[in-house]
Structure formats: C-alpha cells, structure tokens
Amino acid sequence: MKLLLFGSWVFCYFASLLVLRMWTEAYLRSPLTRSLLVNMVSESRTQQEAHEWYGCRTEILGEAVRPAFIQSYLDTETQAFLNRSAEKSGCLFTQLYHSFVSTLFSPFVSRTSINGYLGRGSMFVFSPEQFRQLMNISQDWKSKRLLDLGAGDGEVTKVMSSHFEEIYTTEVSATMKWQLEKKQYRVLGIDEWQDTGFQYDLISCLNLLDRCDQPVKLLKDIRRSLEPSKGRLVLAAVLPFHPYVEIGGKWEQPSEFLVVEGKTWEEQVTSMANGVFKEAGFAVEAFTRLPYLCEGDMYSDYYHLDDAVFVLRPEE
Ligand SMILES: C[S@@+](CC[C@H](N)C(=O)[O-])C[C@H]1O[C@@H](n2cnc3c(N)ncnc32)[C@H](O)[C@@H]1O
Ligand SMILES: *[C@@H]1O[C@H](CO)[C@@H](O)[C@H](O)[C@H]1NC(C)=O
Ligand SMILES: *[C@@H]1O[C@H](CO)[C@@H](O)[C@H](O)[C@H]1NC(C)=O
C-alpha cells in the first residue's frame, strides 16, 4: 500500500513537471514574457547577444587598466558548448529525473553538491584558445604546477590542464571532490594547499571570490603560494559583484567583505584593479570580458552570467 502511494506520488510529480515544461515552452518563450526572465535565453538570440557578452566600453575604464583589455569573441568551442547544452536540456526524461532529485534534496544539500552528484550543470569559462590568448602563451607552452581553487567538477580545470605537469585542485563540496578525483586531479584540503612546501606556477581562482567565506585571506594566501617572478593568478569574477556563501542548503553572508565600487562592468573592473587587487599585492597584466555559461535544465537551454577574467602578476 505504501509503495503504491509512493508510486502514484512520483507519477503525479513527473506528470506535473511535464505539464510545467510544456507550459513554459508555450508561454514563457514568447518574447514578452521571456524578456522578464533574465535567464530564459533561447538559441536564436545567441548571435545578437554575443556582442553584448564580450563588449567593453574601453573609454570608461580607468587609465591604468585600459591597455590590458583583450577583446574576446564567440568562438567555435563556445558555440559547441552551447549546442551540447541545448541538446542535453531537450532530453526530457533526464531533465525530469534531475528535477526530481533536486527537489528531494535541496532542503538539506547545497545546489552545488546536488549538481556534482547528478553530473549536471557543468560550467564554461573560456575555451583553450581564449585561455592561451589571455595568458599570451602558445599551444606548446608548458609549466610545472597548476592549482585550481574551487574547481567545481573540473570541466574548467581541463581547459588549462594540458599546459601543466602536476594539477592540484580544492573544493568544499564532497560530490565535487568526487568528480575531481574521478578526473585524476589531486584534491588538496582548503587549509592544506598553502602549506605544502612548494609554490605554484599558476593559480586559478575562477568564480570563487564571491562564493567563499574569507576572500581577503584567500588573496593573501594565493600571493604567498605563487612562484614570485613567473607565477600568475588567473581570476574570474562575476559582475556585478554579489558575494554570498552556500552552506548546506542555505545562502549566507561571508565573514569578510571586498570593496567593489561602481555600477557598470567597466567601473567594477577598474575598482577591483585599483583596490582589491592592488591591496593584495597584484598588478593586472591582462583581462577580458566573457560570458560565464552553465548547462541548462528543463526551463532553459543554458544560463549565463557576466564574467571579468584577469591575469594577475605578483608585485612588491
Ligand atoms: C561558482 S563555483 C565555480 C566552479 C569553477 N571554478 C568554475 O569557474 O566554473 C564555486 C565553487 O567553489 C567551491 N568553494 C566554495 N568555497 C570554497 C573554498 N573556500 N575553497 C574551495 N572551494 C570553495 C564551491 O563548492 C563551488 O563548487
Ligand atoms: C551548433 O549548431 C548550429 C545549428 O544547429 C550549427 O549550425 C553549428 O555548426 C553548430 N556549431 C558547433 C560548433 O557545433
Ligand atoms: C606576449 O609574449 C611575447 C613573447 O612571448 C612578447 O614579446 C609580447 O610582448 C607579449 N605580449 C603581451 C601583450 O604581453
């Protein structure tokens, strides 16, 4: 009897999700309602939007950072990610299963961990080509140690990994650690990477500054752990800057605050370069504007946020 009840509950659940999906397809994807929902981006808007994703009004950047700007474009690899993502989100039964698991566990488990468990919601920051352009390196450039902090499921780590002999990562989410180990990356503890007795040639801190509890300490630790002359930090920050930390299934305020001034992307980039980064002992060598893309779900083909990606050099 209990089993039957549970079975019918699951059936009703799936049926209502199915109806919801059809409803969103029919109504929410009309231009008017869609414009109210920032994240509902359909394939046809991609080409037009591409310009907004990468554009920068260089005239309102601060003079000191202006020469470091690099213009990026929607390249083949990025388009391929968008295509794969649209294909996956169109796969109804997988999406229904994902939605079911999320609903069941979201009161107790972080969204990051649920995605890690399901192997969904992979992110895209840059293509191998965009990474090389930003770093000003060739395809066969090699170095020794990479440390990717808050690496997520390791899909972004993979883009950088071919240039390094040893790859280290950190994560707080248990299911994400599991994904990283599956990809054969060494996972260090969040209080361990600073005290290994060696320094790193590249540290990446992608979309982590606004999601960790102590960003000031993090930047200080990075500065100390980098190889002092050749070492570089690749840092991506979602702008406008809105810090919050995911603990269990809840969102909380971080205990340390970074001061980021200005409203526009350009103003916030300038403020970070002259404020936060300078105070932490870093100079901006290069930066670009990129969309931070996430695989979609049953409601949208993909999601995007606005990223600023910097290459930072340690300074006196
Ligand atoms: C927004 S995701 C970014 C993932 C990946 N770097 C990317 O750019 O797509 C932030 C990740 O940082 C992890 N995280 C949060 N605080 C952390 C900390 N103090 N140390 C390491 N990872 C942390 C979270 O579990 C989450 O997977
Ligand atoms: C993405 O899909 C479009 C349309 O379906 C196709 O024309 C294009 O070649 C695809 N691009 C890549 C890089 O897969
Ligand atoms: C890129 O690196 C080359 C040498 O490898 C150097 O000559 C050039 O000035 C660098 N470009 C930038 C923009 O830093």
Side-chain angles (χ1 to χ4, degrees):
M1 186 62 197
K2 267 188 190 151
L3 197 68
L4 193 69
L5 263 175
F6 182 71
S8 50
W9 179 74
V10 169
F11 176 80
C12 288
Y13 181 83
F14 278 123
S16 52
L17 280 179
L18 197 65
V19 171
L20 193 64
R21 161 93 192 191
M22 291 192 297
W23 185 79
T24 57
E25 293 244 298
Y27 295 96
L28 288 189
R29 295 199 174 196
S30 78
L32 182 72
T33 18
R34 197 175 52 205
S35 68
L36 299 172
L37 292 156
V38 195
N39 288 324
M40 304 288 284
V41 187
S42 75
E43 193 70 12
S44 58
R45 283 175 84 203
T46 307
Q47 297 306 323
Q48 279 179 323
E49 269 196 346
H51 294 286
E52 295 159 34
W53 283 357
Y54 301 94
C56 169
R57 287 168 295 164
T58 45
E59 67 280 6
I60 54 174
L61 286 170
E63 263 171 48
V65 288
R66 200 176 301 154
F69 178 72
I70 293 177
Q71 178 69 55
S72 294
Y73 301 92
L74 180 70
D75 63 1
T76 324
E77 293 264 357
T78 311
Q79 187 59 56
F81 177 86
L82 294 175
N83 284 11
R84 276 198 306 278
S85 179
E87 218 170 276
K88 276 198 198 174
S89 85
C91 192
L92 190 60
F93 283 99
T94 318
Q95 295 306 328
L96 285 174
Y97 168 66
H98 285 176
S99 168
F100 174 66
V101 174
S102 301
T103 312
L104 210 61
F105 290 102
S106 58
F108 345 98
V109 185
S110 77
R111 195 176 166 77
T112 305
S113 291
I114 296 171
N115 285 346
Y117 168 73
L118 292 170
R120 72 156 189 190
S122 278
M123 316 297 284
F124 185 95
V125 179
F126 37 49
S127 67
E129 201 186 322
Q130 286 164 344
F131 173 68
R132 291 196 301 267
Q133 195 192 13
L134 198 61
M135 291 279 292
N136 190 25
I137 54 173
S138 65
Q139 206 157 354
D140 43 316
W141 182 83
K142 287 262 183 237
S143 200
K144 191 151 189 222
R145 288 192 197 101
L146 166 68
L147 170 65
D148 191 10
L149 297 168
D153 66 359
E155 282 300 314
V156 184
T157 321
K158 221 194 266 172
V159 175
M160 304 179 283
S161 63
S162 67
H163 295 287
F164 298 90
E165 284 167 34
E166 297 169 18
I167 295 147
Y168 301 86
T169 58
T170 67
E171 247 309 321
V172 283
S173 152
T175 56
M176 288 300 180
K177 281 185 200 166
W178 172 64
Q179 294 275 358
L180 290 168
E181 275 156 8
K182 235 172 43 179
K183 294 191 169 81
Q184 318 249 299
Y185 298 136
R186 270 164 268 199
V187 182
L188 299 176
I190 58 166
D191 294 316
E192 186 187 8
W193 59 272
Q194 305 91 333
D195 300 306
T196 49
F198 52 76
Q199 290 178 313
Y200 307 90
D201 302 294
L202 184 69
I203 297 183
S204 49
C205 174
L206 305 175
N207 306 299
L208 173 62
L209 219 51
D210 56 354
R211 290 288 168 277
C212 70
D213 189 50
Q214 295 178 290
V216 180
K217 177 177 182 292
L218 182 74
L219 286 173
K220 222 177 264 171
D221 286 345
I222 293 174
R223 176 74 175 72
R224 211 159 42 78
S225 312
L226 267 183
E227 204 281 326
S229 61
K230 286 194 296 99
R232 293 289 180 273
L233 164 63
V234 178
L235 188 142
V238 174
L239 300 181
F241 196 73
H242 285 305
Y244 56 90
V245 185
E246 196 176 14
I247 298 166
K250 289 202 289 283
W251 298 101
E252 288 175 16
Q253 296 281 324
S255 59
E256 285 179 357
F257 278 96
L258 296 177
V259 180
V260 179
E261 285 168 346
K263 282 210 178 80
T264 64
W265 185 89
E266 290 83 354
E267 285 164 348
Q268 295 211 342
V269 162
T270 306
S271 165
M272 289 185 100
N274 299 337
V276 170
F277 297 155
K278 194 170 263 174
E279 279 151 32
F282 289 105
V284 176
E285 205 165 61
F287 73 100
T288 189
R289 184 178 191 166
L290 291 170
Y292 180 33
L293 300 166
C294 177
E295 279 179 356
D297 51 25
M298 43 190 274
Y299 309 108
S300 183
D301 287 347
Y302 56 84
Y303 294 93
H304 90 269
L305 292 166
D306 215 352
D307 246 351
V309 189
F310 301 87
V311 176
L312 302 175
R313 175 183 68 233
E315 257 193 341
E316 284 306 295

